[in-house]
Amino acid sequence: MTKDELLKNIRTLGIWKKRSQRAPHKPLLILLYLGRRQTGQPRMGLFEEVEPKLTALLEEFGPTRKNYTPEEPFCRLRADGIWELSVDLPAGVALSKTKLRAQKVAGGFLEEVEQLLKSEDSLIDQVATFLLREHFPSTLHEAILTEIGLDIDSIEDIEDSKKRKKVRDPEFRQRILQAYDYRCAVCNFDVRLGKQPIALEAAHIQWFNHGGPDTVNNGVALCSMHHELLDRGAIGISPDSRLLVSEKVTGYAGLQEWILDYEGKPLNQPRRIEYTLNHEFADWHIREVFKGEYREQAST
């Protein structure tokens, strides 16, 4: 296998698709194993050893589901030409968690993939960056890398940005900030250095890399704190544009003043009615990002 062949396989991963549902299973498994490669761990890892970490990654950075299925990517990544198991399975077959544990099944990158990653350090950077950009918003990249223990030195694309299938609108941020009068829609944060706003960001409600358009009715101006809380699923937006808080949110310092004080309260509305948030996008966020159930809303 050549470097170009490896990168092509990463670009064309077979990701499960059903409407706009998220399926970050294979990307998270690959990232987890890039971390193993970088820290010198064995090429093949037992499922029973990998399962707890992969499940935790799916719970933290994937959509909320009744059941998490780390066994699916562990078996099905074979079809993408970069992965192997220690047992021979028919194509398209995935063993249950119980069987994977009982049979002491191990999985890992093909030997030729492992050798490529060893021979060219920048490959890990390229593959990791591509997977992060394709499947997660930028607010989550550092947290994912930290959780996995993966250190990348530079941000590189597998392919030139001009060749990417979908190009971001460079005016999106400016249009969102203008629509919301340069204030956080949750907490009214408005700090500037001269004329330039600081720590104020344009947040996609339905993520750009999961079909969310660069339109004002799919965005909201948020301070960097509330932007990360939104992308982590700690907060969401109700059909009547009030702030929802996940029941899983806990803490001490900052919890009350950054989150609970705004629970159940309406978000600031954009200056023009046609900029109002389209709640199809907010519904997507609740289904695919928001963690758990709502808290009981605070009175207003």
Side-chain angles (χ1 to χ4, degrees):
M1 180 180 295
T2 66
K3 171 184 174 181
D4 288 343
E5 288 171 337
L6 171 60
L7 297 181
K8 180 181 178 181
N9 288 345
I10 295 296
R11 286 198 303 269
T12 58
L13 280 177
I15 303 294
W16 177 86
K17 293 181 180 178
K18 184 177 180 181
R19 296 189 294 274
S20 59
Q21 293 183 33
R22 295 173 59 211
H25 302 63
K26 286 182 180 179
L28 286 172
L29 178 59
I30 294 172
L31 288 165
L32 180 59
Y33 268 72
L34 290 177
R36 287 172 58 92
R37 159 87 294 280
Q38 193 176 71
T39 54
Q41 296 182 55
R43 179 175 69 90
M44 302 290 284
L46 289 172
F47 175 76
E48 64 183 351
E49 296 174 351
V50 175
E51 178 189 7
K53 186 65 174 180
L54 182 55
T55 300
L57 290 170
L58 289 169
E59 290 176 348
E60 183 69 17
F61 302 109
T64 298
R65 297 290 184 256
K66 291 182 179 179
N67 297 298
Y68 294 93
T69 56
E71 71 278 11
E72 291 290 332
F74 197 84
C75 293
R76 298 190 188 279
L77 190 56
R78 292 173 302 151
D80 295 286
I82 63 172
W83 186 261
E84 66 176 336
L85 297 178
S86 60
V87 297
D88 187 24
L89 290 180
V93 171
L95 293 178
S96 68
K97 298 175 188 176
T98 301
K99 289 184 177 179
L100 287 169
R101 297 184 202 117
Q103 296 181 27
K104 300 293 183 183
V105 177
F109 293 132
L110 295 171
E111 180 64 39
E112 54 190 325
V113 172
E114 189 82 356
Q115 291 304 317
L116 279 172
L117 295 172
K118 284 182 180 179
S119 64
E120 189 168 345
D121 289 342
S122 66
L123 265 178
I124 290 180
D125 288 19
Q126 291 182 63
V127 172
T129 299
F130 179 82
L131 293 173
L132 289 169
R133 286 182 169 174
E134 287 295 305
H135 299 280
F136 305 96
S138 59
T139 50
L140 300 188
H141 294 180
E142 191 61 38
I144 292 171
L145 292 172
T146 299
E147 191 67 26
I148 289 170
L150 179 60
D151 180 26
I152 59 177
D153 295 326
S154 60
I155 301 299
E156 300 182 41
D157 276 317
I158 285 182
E159 51 189 337
D160 186 86
S161 61
K162 293 181 180 179
K163 298 179 182 178
R164 295 176 67 84
K165 292 181 181 179
K166 193 175 179 184
V167 179
R168 292 178 182 270
D169 180 355
E171 301 300 321
F172 175 74
R173 178 178 183 272
Q174 186 62 25
R175 288 189 287 114
I176 292 294
L177 298 192
Q178 287 179 343
Y180 284 85
D181 292 319
Y182 295 89
R183 294 180 300 150
C184 174
V186 174
C187 67
N188 287 313
F189 181 88
D190 175 12
V191 174
R192 310 184 191 201
L193 184 61
K195 296 181 179 180
Q196 295 301 315
I198 297 174
L200 188 64
E201 302 169 355
H204 285 84
I205 306 303
Q206 180 169 339
W207 296 351
F208 180 85
N209 50 24
H210 283 78
D214 276 336
T215 55
V216 178
N217 64 0
N218 183 39
V220 62
L222 295 174
C223 65
S224 57
M225 173 65 77
H226 285 113
H227 189 179
E228 181 165 355
L229 290 168
L230 183 78
D231 284 348
R232 291 292 290 266
I235 60 175
I237 301 173
S238 72
D240 60 349
S241 292
R242 294 177 182 272
L243 190 76
L244 302 174
V245 177
S246 169
E247 64 179 5
K248 295 185 178 182
V249 171
T250 60
Y252 297 97
L255 176 64
Q256 188 68 43
E257 54 266 45
W258 281 104
I259 302 178
L260 299 185
D261 282 351
Y262 303 103
E263 184 176 13
K265 294 183 178 179
L267 273 65
N268 295 336
Q269 293 301 297
R271 59 171 63 184
R272 294 168 58 176
I273 192 168
E274 60 264 34
Y275 294 160
T276 301
L277 176 65
N278 182 327
H279 283 285
E280 289 185 9
F281 302 134
D283 289 344
W284 177 91
H285 181 274
I286 294 298
R287 293 194 312 270
E288 300 298 318
V289 181
F290 190 76
K291 299 297 183 185
E293 302 294 331
Y294 312 158
R295 286 175 176 267
E296 184 178 349
Q297 291 190 359
S299 59
T300 59

Coordinates of all heavy atoms in Angstrom, one line a residue, residues 178-263:
Q178 N -23.4 40.1 12.8 CA -24.2 41.3 12.5 C -25.7 41.0 12.9 O -26.3 41.9 13.4 CB -24.1 41.6 11.1 CG -22.7 42.3 10.7 CD -22.6 42.6 9.2 OE1 -23.4 42.1 8.4 NE2 -21.7 43.4 8.9
A179 N -26.2 39.8 12.5 CA -27.6 39.5 12.8 C -27.9 39.6 14.3 O -29.0 39.9 14.6 CB -27.9 38.1 12.2
Y180 N -26.9 39.2 15.1 CA -27.2 39.2 16.6 C -26.5 40.4 17.3 O -26.3 40.4 18.5 CB -26.7 37.9 17.2 CG -27.6 36.8 16.9 CD1 -27.5 36.1 15.7 CD2 -28.6 36.4 17.8 CE1 -28.4 35.0 15.4 CE2 -29.5 35.4 17.5 CZ -29.4 34.7 16.3 OH -30.3 33.7 16.0
D181 N -26.3 41.5 16.5 CA -25.7 42.7 17.1 C -24.5 42.5 17.9 O -24.3 43.2 18.9 CB -26.8 43.4 17.9 CG -28.0 43.9 17.1 OD1 -27.7 44.5 16.0 OD2 -29.1 43.8 17.5
Y182 N -23.6 41.6 17.5 CA -22.3 41.4 18.1 C -22.4 41.1 19.6 O -21.6 41.5 20.4 CB -21.4 42.6 17.8 CG -21.1 42.7 16.4 CD1 -21.9 43.5 15.6 CD2 -19.9 42.1 15.9 CE1 -21.6 43.6 14.2 CE2 -19.6 42.2 14.5 CZ -20.4 43.0 13.7 OH -20.2 43.1 12.3
R183 N -23.5 40.3 20.0 CA -23.6 39.9 21.4 C -23.9 38.4 21.4 O -24.6 37.8 20.5 CB -24.8 40.6 22.0 CG -24.6 42.1 22.2 CD -25.8 42.7 22.8 NE -27.0 42.5 22.0 CZ -28.3 42.4 22.5 NH1 -28.5 42.4 23.8 NH2 -29.3 42.2 21.7
C184 N -23.5 37.7 22.5 CA -23.8 36.3 22.7 C -25.4 36.2 22.9 O -25.9 37.0 23.7 CB -23.1 35.8 23.9 SG -23.6 34.1 24.3
A185 N -26.0 35.3 22.1 CA -27.4 35.2 22.2 C -27.9 34.6 23.6 O -29.1 34.7 23.9 CB -27.9 34.3 21.1
V186 N -27.0 34.0 24.3 CA -27.3 33.5 25.7 C -27.1 34.5 26.8 O -28.0 34.9 27.5 CB -26.6 32.2 25.9 CG1 -26.8 31.7 27.4 CG2 -26.9 31.1 24.9
C187 N -25.8 35.0 26.8 CA -25.4 35.8 28.0 C -25.1 37.3 27.7 O -24.7 38.0 28.6 CB -24.2 35.2 28.6 SG -22.7 35.3 27.6
N188 N -25.3 37.7 26.4 CA -25.1 39.1 26.0 C -23.6 39.5 26.1 O -23.3 40.7 26.0 CB -25.9 40.1 26.9 CG -27.4 40.1 26.5 OD1 -27.7 40.1 25.3 ND2 -28.2 40.0 27.5
F189 N -22.7 38.5 26.2 CA -21.3 38.9 26.2 C -20.9 39.7 25.0 O -21.2 39.4 23.8 CB -20.5 37.5 26.1 CG -19.0 37.7 26.2 CD1 -18.3 37.8 27.4 CD2 -18.2 37.8 25.0 CE1 -16.9 38.0 27.4 CE2 -16.9 38.0 25.1 CZ -16.2 38.1 26.3
D190 N -20.2 40.8 25.2 CA -19.8 41.8 24.2 C -18.6 42.5 24.6 O -18.7 43.6 25.2 CB -21.0 42.7 23.9 CG -20.6 43.8 22.9 OD1 -19.6 43.7 22.2 OD2 -21.4 44.8 22.8
V191 N -17.4 41.9 24.3 CA -16.1 42.5 24.6 C -15.4 42.7 23.3 O -15.3 41.8 22.5 CB -15.3 41.7 25.6 CG1 -13.9 42.2 25.8 CG2 -16.1 41.5 26.9
R192 N -14.8 43.9 23.1 CA -14.1 44.2 21.9 C -12.7 44.8 22.2 O -12.5 45.4 23.2 CB -14.9 45.2 21.0 CG -16.3 44.7 20.8 CD -17.1 45.6 19.9 NE -18.5 45.3 20.0 CZ -19.4 45.7 19.0 NH1 -19.0 46.3 18.0 NH2 -20.7 45.4 19.2
L193 N -11.8 44.6 21.3 CA -10.5 45.2 21.4 C -10.5 46.2 20.2 O -10.4 45.8 19.0 CB -9.4 44.2 21.2 CG -7.9 44.7 21.3 CD1 -7.7 45.4 22.7 CD2 -6.9 43.6 21.1
G194 N -10.6 47.5 20.5 CA -10.9 48.4 19.4 C -12.3 48.1 18.9 O -13.3 48.1 19.6
K195 N -12.3 47.8 17.6 CA -13.6 47.5 16.9 C -13.8 46.0 16.8 O -14.9 45.6 16.3 CB -13.7 48.2 15.6 CG -13.7 49.7 15.7 CD -13.8 50.3 14.3 CE -13.8 51.8 14.3 NZ -14.0 52.4 13.0
Q196 N -12.8 45.2 17.2 CA -12.9 43.8 16.9 C -13.5 43.0 18.1 O -12.9 43.1 19.2 CB -11.5 43.2 16.6 CG -10.9 43.8 15.3 CD -11.8 43.4 14.1 OE1 -12.3 42.3 13.9 NE2 -12.0 44.4 13.2
P197 N -14.5 42.2 17.9 CA -15.1 41.4 19.0 C -14.1 40.3 19.4 O -13.4 39.7 18.6 CB -16.3 40.8 18.4 CG -16.1 40.9 16.9 CD -15.3 42.0 16.6
I198 N -14.0 40.0 20.7 CA -13.2 39.0 21.2 C -14.0 37.9 21.8 O -15.0 38.1 22.5 CB -12.3 39.6 22.3 CG1 -11.3 40.6 21.8 CG2 -11.5 38.4 23.0 CD1 -10.5 41.3 22.9
A199 N -13.6 36.6 21.5 CA -14.3 35.4 22.0 C -15.8 35.4 21.7 O -16.6 34.9 22.5 CB -14.1 35.3 23.5
L200 N -16.2 36.0 20.5 CA -17.5 35.9 20.1 C -17.5 35.1 18.8 O -16.8 35.5 17.8 CB -18.1 37.3 19.9 CG -19.6 37.3 19.6 CD1 -20.4 36.8 20.7 CD2 -20.1 38.8 19.3
E201 N -18.3 34.1 18.7 CA -18.2 33.2 17.5 C -19.6 32.9 16.9 O -20.6 33.1 17.5 CB -17.6 31.8 18.0 CG -16.3 32.0 18.6 CD -15.7 30.8 19.4 OE1 -16.5 29.8 19.4 OE2 -14.6 30.8 19.8
A202 N -19.5 32.5 15.6 CA -20.7 32.1 14.9 C -20.9 30.6 15.0 O -20.0 29.8 14.4 CB -20.6 32.5 13.4
A203 N -21.9 30.1 15.7 CA -22.1 28.7 15.9 C -23.1 28.1 14.9 O -24.2 28.7 14.7 CB -22.5 28.4 17.3
H204 N -22.7 27.0 14.2 CA -23.7 26.3 13.5 C -24.6 25.5 14.4 O -24.0 24.8 15.3 CB -23.0 25.3 12.5 CG -22.4 25.9 11.3 ND1 -21.2 26.5 11.3 CD2 -22.9 26.1 10.0 CE1 -20.9 27.0 10.1 NE2 -21.9 26.8 9.3
I205 N -25.9 25.5 14.2 CA -26.8 24.6 15.0 C -26.7 23.2 14.5 O -26.3 22.3 15.3 CB -28.2 25.2 15.0 CG1 -28.2 26.6 15.4 CG2 -29.1 24.3 16.0 CD1 -27.6 26.9 16.8
Q206 N -27.0 23.0 13.2 CA -26.7 21.7 12.6 C -25.3 21.8 12.0 O -25.1 22.7 11.2 CB -27.7 21.3 11.5 CG -27.4 20.0 10.9 CD -28.6 19.5 10.0 OE1 -29.7 19.9 10.1 NE2 -28.3 18.6 9.1
W207 N -24.4 21.0 12.4 CA -23.0 21.1 12.1 C -22.8 21.1 10.5 O -23.5 20.4 9.8 CB -22.2 19.9 12.6 CG -22.2 19.9 14.1 CD1 -22.6 20.9 15.0 CD2 -21.7 18.9 15.0 NE1 -22.4 20.6 16.3 CE2 -21.8 19.3 16.3 CE3 -21.1 17.6 14.7 CZ2 -21.4 18.5 17.4 CZ3 -20.7 16.9 15.8 CH2 -20.9 17.3 17.1
F208 N -21.9 21.9 10.1 CA -21.6 22.1 8.7 C -21.2 20.8 8.1 O -21.6 20.4 7.0 CB -20.5 23.1 8.5 CG -20.1 23.4 7.1 CD1 -20.8 24.3 6.3 CD2 -19.0 22.7 6.5 CE1 -20.4 24.5 5.0 CE2 -18.6 22.9 5.2 CZ -19.3 23.8 4.4
N209 N -20.4 20.0 8.8 CA -19.9 18.7 8.2 C -20.9 17.6 8.3 O -20.6 16.4 8.0 CB -18.6 18.3 8.8 CG -18.6 18.3 10.3 OD1 -19.6 18.2 11.0 ND2 -17.4 18.5 10.9
H210 N -22.1 17.9 8.8 CA -23.2 17.0 8.8 C -24.5 17.6 8.1 O -25.6 17.4 8.6 CB -23.6 16.5 10.2 CG -22.6 15.5 10.8 ND1 -21.3 15.9 11.2 CD2 -22.6 14.2 10.8 CE1 -20.7 14.8 11.6 NE2 -21.4 13.7 11.4
G211 N -24.2 18.4 7.1 CA -25.3 18.8 6.3 C -25.9 20.2 6.6 O -26.8 20.7 6.0
G212 N -25.4 20.8 7.7 CA -25.9 22.1 8.1 C -25.4 23.2 7.2 O -24.2 23.3 6.9
P213 N -26.3 24.1 6.6 CA -25.9 25.1 5.7 C -25.2 26.3 6.4 O -25.5 26.5 7.5 CB -27.2 25.5 5.0 CG -28.2 25.2 6.0 CD -27.7 24.0 6.8
D214 N -24.5 27.1 5.6 CA -24.0 28.3 6.1 C -25.0 29.5 5.9 O -24.7 30.4 5.2 CB -22.7 28.7 5.3 CG -21.4 28.0 5.9 OD1 -21.5 27.7 7.1 OD2 -20.5 27.9 5.1
T215 N -26.2 29.3 6.5 CA -27.2 30.3 6.4 C -27.5 30.9 7.8 O -27.2 30.2 8.8 CB -28.5 29.7 5.9 OG1 -28.9 28.5 6.7 CG2 -28.3 29.2 4.4
V216 N -28.0 32.1 7.8 CA -28.2 32.7 9.1 C -29.2 32.0 10.0 O -29.0 32.0 11.2 CB -28.6 34.2 8.9 CG1 -28.8 34.9 10.2 CG2 -27.5 35.0 8.1
N217 N -30.2 31.4 9.4 CA -31.2 30.6 10.2 C -30.7 29.3 10.7 O -31.4 28.5 11.3 CB -32.5 30.5 9.4 CG -32.4 29.7 8.2 OD1 -31.3 29.1 7.8 ND2 -33.5 29.5 7.5
N218 N -29.4 29.0 10.4 CA -28.7 27.8 11.0 C -27.6 28.2 11.9 O -26.7 27.4 12.2 CB -28.2 26.8 9.9 CG -27.6 25.6 10.5 OD1 -28.1 25.0 11.5 ND2 -26.5 25.1 9.9
G219 N -27.6 29.5 12.3 CA -26.5 30.0 13.1 C -27.0 30.8 14.3 O -28.1 31.3 14.3
V220 N -26.1 31.0 15.2 CA -26.4 31.9 16.3 C -25.0 32.4 16.8 O -24.0 31.7 16.8 CB -27.1 31.1 17.4 CG1 -26.3 30.0 18.0 CG2 -27.6 32.1 18.5
A221 N -25.0 33.7 17.3 CA -23.8 34.3 17.8 C -23.7 33.8 19.3 O -24.6 34.0 20.1 CB -23.9 35.8 17.7
L222 N -22.6 33.2 19.6 CA -22.3 32.8 21.0 C -20.9 33.1 21.4 O -20.0 33.1 20.6 CB -22.5 31.3 21.1 CG -23.9 30.7 20.8 CD1 -23.8 29.2 20.8 CD2 -24.9 31.2 21.9
C223 N -20.7 33.4 22.7 CA -19.4 33.6 23.3 C -18.7 32.2 23.2 O -19.4 31.2 23.0 CB -19.4 34.0 24.7 SG -20.2 32.9 25.9
S224 N -17.4 32.1 23.3 CA -16.7 30.9 23.1 C -17.1 29.8 24.1 O -17.2 28.6 23.8 CB -15.2 31.1 23.2 OG -14.8 31.7 24.4
M225 N -17.5 30.3 25.3 CA -18.0 29.3 26.4 C -19.3 28.7 26.0 O -19.4 27.4 26.0 CB -18.1 30.0 27.7 CG -18.7 29.2 28.8 SD -17.7 27.8 29.3 CE -16.5 28.6 30.3
H226 N -20.3 29.5 25.6 CA -21.6 28.9 25.2 C -21.5 28.1 23.9 O -22.3 27.2 23.7 CB -22.6 29.9 25.2 CG -23.0 30.3 26.6 ND1 -22.8 31.6 27.2 CD2 -23.6 29.6 27.6 CE1 -23.2 31.6 28.4 NE2 -23.7 30.5 28.7
H227 N -20.6 28.5 23.0 CA -20.4 27.8 21.8 C -19.9 26.3 22.1 O -20.4 25.4 21.5 CB -19.4 28.5 20.9 CG -19.3 27.9 19.5 ND1 -18.5 28.5 18.5 CD2 -19.9 26.9 18.9 CE1 -18.6 27.8 17.4 NE2 -19.5 26.8 17.6
E228 N -18.9 26.2 22.9 CA -18.4 24.9 23.3 C -19.5 24.1 24.0 O -19.6 22.9 23.8 CB -17.1 25.0 24.1 CG -16.6 23.6 24.4 CD -15.2 23.6 24.9 OE1 -14.5 24.7 24.9 OE2 -14.7 22.5 25.3
L229 N -20.2 24.7 24.9 CA -21.3 24.0 25.6 C -22.3 23.5 24.7 O -22.9 22.4 24.8 CB -21.9 25.0 26.7 CG -21.1 25.3 27.9 CD1 -21.7 26.5 28.6 CD2 -20.9 24.1 28.8
L230 N -22.6 24.3 23.6 CA -23.6 23.8 22.6 C -23.1 22.6 21.8 O -23.8 21.6 21.6 CB -23.9 25.0 21.7 CG -25.0 24.7 20.6 CD1 -26.4 24.8 21.2 CD2 -24.9 25.7 19.4
D231 N -21.8 22.7 21.4 CA -21.2 21.7 20.6 C -21.0 20.4 21.4 O -20.9 19.3 20.8 CB -20.0 22.1 19.9 CG -20.2 23.0 18.7 OD1 -21.4 23.1 18.3 OD2 -19.3 23.7 18.2
R232 N -20.8 20.5 22.7 CA -20.6 19.4 23.5 C -22.0 18.7 23.9 O -22.0 17.6 24.5 CB -19.8 19.7 24.8 CG -18.4 20.1 24.6 CD -17.5 18.9 24.1 NE -17.3 17.9 25.1 CZ -16.3 17.9 25.9 NH1 -15.3 18.8 25.8 NH2 -16.1 16.9 26.8
G233 N -23.1 19.4 23.6 CA -24.4 18.9 24.0 C -24.8 19.2 25.4 O -25.8 18.6 25.9
A234 N -24.1 20.0 26.1 CA -24.5 20.4 27.4 C -25.7 21.3 27.4 O -26.5 21.3 28.4 CB -23.3 21.1 28.1
I235 N -25.9 22.1 26.4 CA -27.0 23.0 26.2 C -27.6 22.7 24.8 O -27.0 22.2 23.9 CB -26.7 24.5 26.4 CG1 -25.7 24.9 25.4 CG2 -26.2 24.7 27.9 CD1 -25.4 26.4 25.5
G236 N -28.9 23.1 24.7 CA -29.6 23.0 23.4 C -30.6 24.1 23.3 O -30.7 25.0 24.2
I237 N -31.4 24.1 22.3 CA -32.4 25.2 22.0 C -33.7 24.5 21.8 O -33.9 23.6 21.0 CB -32.0 26.0 20.8 CG1 -30.6 26.7 21.0 CG2 -33.0 27.1 20.5 CD1 -30.0 27.4 19.8
S238 N -34.7 25.0 22.5 CA -36.1 24.5 22.5 C -36.8 25.0 21.2 O -36.3 26.0 20.6 CB -36.9 24.8 23.7 OG -37.2 26.2 23.7
P239 N -38.0 24.4 20.9 CA -38.7 24.9 19.7 C -39.1 26.4 19.8 O -39.3 27.0 18.8 CB -39.9 24.0 19.7 CG -39.4 22.7 20.3 CD -38.5 23.2 21.4
D240 N -39.3 26.9 21.1 CA -39.6 28.3 21.2 C -38.4 29.1 21.6 O -38.5 30.2 22.2 CB -40.7 28.5 22.3 CG -40.3 27.9 23.7 OD1 -39.3 27.3 23.8 OD2 -41.1 28.2 24.6
S241 N -37.2 28.6 21.2 CA -36.0 29.4 21.3 C -35.6 29.7 22.8 O -35.0 30.8 23.1 CB -36.0 30.7 20.5 OG -36.0 30.4 19.1
R242 N -35.8 28.8 23.7 CA -35.3 28.9 25.0 C -34.2 28.0 25.3 O -34.0 27.0 24.6 CB -36.5 28.6 26.0 CG -37.6 29.6 26.0 CD -38.7 29.3 26.9 NE -39.8 30.2 26.8 CZ -39.9 31.4 27.5 NH1 -38.9 31.7 28.4 NH2 -40.9 32.2 27.3
L243 N -33.3 28.3 26.2 CA -32.1 27.5 26.5 C -32.5 26.2 27.3 O -33.1 26.3 28.3 CB -31.1 28.3 27.3 CG -29.7 27.6 27.4 CD1 -29.0 27.8 26.1 CD2 -28.9 28.2 28.5
L244 N -32.1 25.1 26.7 CA -32.3 23.8 27.4 C -30.9 23.4 28.0 O -29.9 23.7 27.5 CB -32.7 22.7 26.4 CG -34.0 23.0 25.6 CD1 -34.2 21.9 24.6 CD2 -35.2 23.1 26.6
V245 N -31.0 22.7 29.2 CA -29.8 22.3 29.8 C -29.9 20.8 30.0 O -30.9 20.3 30.5 CB -29.6 23.0 31.2 CG1 -28.4 22.4 31.9 CG2 -29.4 24.5 31.0
S246 N -28.8 20.0 29.6 CA -28.8 18.6 29.8 C -28.9 18.2 31.3 O -28.2 18.8 32.1 CB -27.6 18.0 29.1 OG -27.4 16.6 29.5
E247 N -29.6 17.2 31.6 CA -29.6 16.7 33.0 C -28.3 16.1 33.4 O -28.1 15.9 34.6 CB -30.7 15.6 33.1 CG -30.4 14.3 32.3 CD -31.4 13.3 32.4 OE1 -32.5 13.5 33.1 OE2 -31.2 12.2 31.8
K248 N -27.4 15.9 32.5 CA -26.1 15.3 32.8 C -25.1 16.4 33.2 O -24.0 16.1 33.7 CB -25.5 14.6 31.6 CG -26.3 13.3 31.2 CD -25.7 12.6 30.1 CE -26.4 11.3 29.8 NZ -25.8 10.5 28.7
V249 N -25.5 17.7 33.1 CA -24.6 18.8 33.5 C -24.5 18.9 35.0 O -25.5 19.0 35.7 CB -25.0 20.1 32.9 CG1 -24.2 21.3 33.4 CG2 -24.9 20.1 31.3
T250 N -23.3 18.8 35.5 CA -23.0 19.0 36.9 C -21.8 19.9 37.1 O -21.2 20.3 36.1 CB -22.8 17.7 37.6 OG1 -21.6 17.1 37.1 CG2 -24.0 16.7 37.5
G251 N -21.5 20.3 38.3 CA -20.3 21.1 38.6 C -20.5 22.0 39.7 O -21.5 22.0 40.4
Y252 N -19.5 22.9 39.9 CA -19.5 23.9 41.0 C -19.3 25.3 40.4 O -20.2 25.9 40.0 CB -18.5 23.5 42.1 CG -18.8 22.1 42.7 CD1 -18.2 21.0 42.3 CD2 -19.8 22.0 43.7 CE1 -18.6 19.7 42.8 CE2 -20.1 20.8 44.3 CZ -19.5 19.7 43.9 OH -19.8 18.5 44.4
A253 N -18.0 25.7 40.5 CA -17.7 27.0 40.0 C -18.1 27.2 38.6 O -17.7 26.4 37.7 CB -16.2 27.3 40.3
G254 N -18.9 28.2 38.3 CA -19.3 28.5 36.9 C -20.6 27.9 36.5 O -21.2 28.4 35.5
L255 N -21.0 26.8 37.1 CA -22.2 26.2 36.7 C -23.4 27.1 36.8 O -24.2 27.2 35.8 CB -22.5 24.9 37.5 CG -23.8 24.2 37.2 CD1 -23.8 23.6 35.8 CD2 -24.0 23.0 38.3
Q256 N -23.6 27.8 37.9 CA -24.8 28.6 38.1 C -24.7 29.8 37.1 O -25.7 30.1 36.4 CB -24.8 29.1 39.5 CG -26.1 29.9 39.9 CD -27.4 29.0 39.8 OE1 -27.3 27.9 40.3 NE2 -28.4 29.5 39.2
E257 N -23.6 30.5 37.1 CA -23.5 31.8 36.4 C -23.4 31.6 34.9 O -23.9 32.5 34.1 CB -22.4 32.7 36.9 CG -21.0 32.1 36.9 CD -20.7 31.5 38.3 OE1 -21.6 30.8 38.8 OE2 -19.6 31.7 38.7
W258 N -22.8 30.5 34.4 CA -22.7 30.3 33.0 C -23.8 29.5 32.4 O -24.1 29.6 31.2 CB -21.4 29.6 32.7 CG -20.2 30.5 32.7 CD1 -19.2 30.5 33.7 CD2 -19.8 31.4 31.7 NE1 -18.3 31.5 33.4 CE2 -18.6 32.0 32.2 CE3 -20.3 31.8 30.5 CZ2 -18.0 33.0 31.4 CZ3 -19.7 32.8 29.7 CH2 -18.5 33.4 30.2
I259 N -24.5 28.7 33.2 CA -25.5 27.8 32.6 C -26.9 27.9 33.3 O -27.9 28.3 32.6 CB -25.1 26.3 32.7 CG1 -23.7 26.1 31.9 CG2 -26.1 25.4 32.1 CD1 -23.2 24.7 32.0
L260 N -27.0 27.6 34.5 CA -28.3 27.5 35.2 C -29.0 28.9 35.3 O -30.2 28.9 35.3 CB -28.1 27.0 36.6 CG -27.5 25.5 36.7 CD1 -27.5 25.0 38.1 CD2 -28.3 24.6 35.7
D261 N -28.3 30.0 35.3 CA -28.9 31.3 35.4 C -29.7 31.6 34.1 O -30.6 32.4 34.1 CB -27.9 32.4 35.6 CG -27.5 32.5 37.0 OD1 -28.1 31.9 37.9 OD2 -26.5 33.3 37.3
Y262 N -29.4 30.9 33.0 CA -30.0 31.1 31.7 C -31.0 30.0 31.3 O -31.6 30.1 30.3 CB -29.0 31.3 30.6 CG -28.0 32.4 30.9 CD1 -26.7 32.1 31.4 CD2 -28.3 33.7 30.7 CE1 -25.8 33.1 31.7 CE2 -27.5 34.7 31.0 CZ -26.2 34.4 31.5 OH -25.3 35.4 31.8
E263 N -31.1 29.0 32.1 CA -31.9 27.8 31.8 C -33.4 28.2 31.7 O -33.9 28.9 32.5 CB -31.8 26.8 32.9 CG -32.5 25.5 32.7 CD -32.3 24.5 33.8 OE1 -31.7 24.9 34.8 OE2 -32.6 23.3 33.6

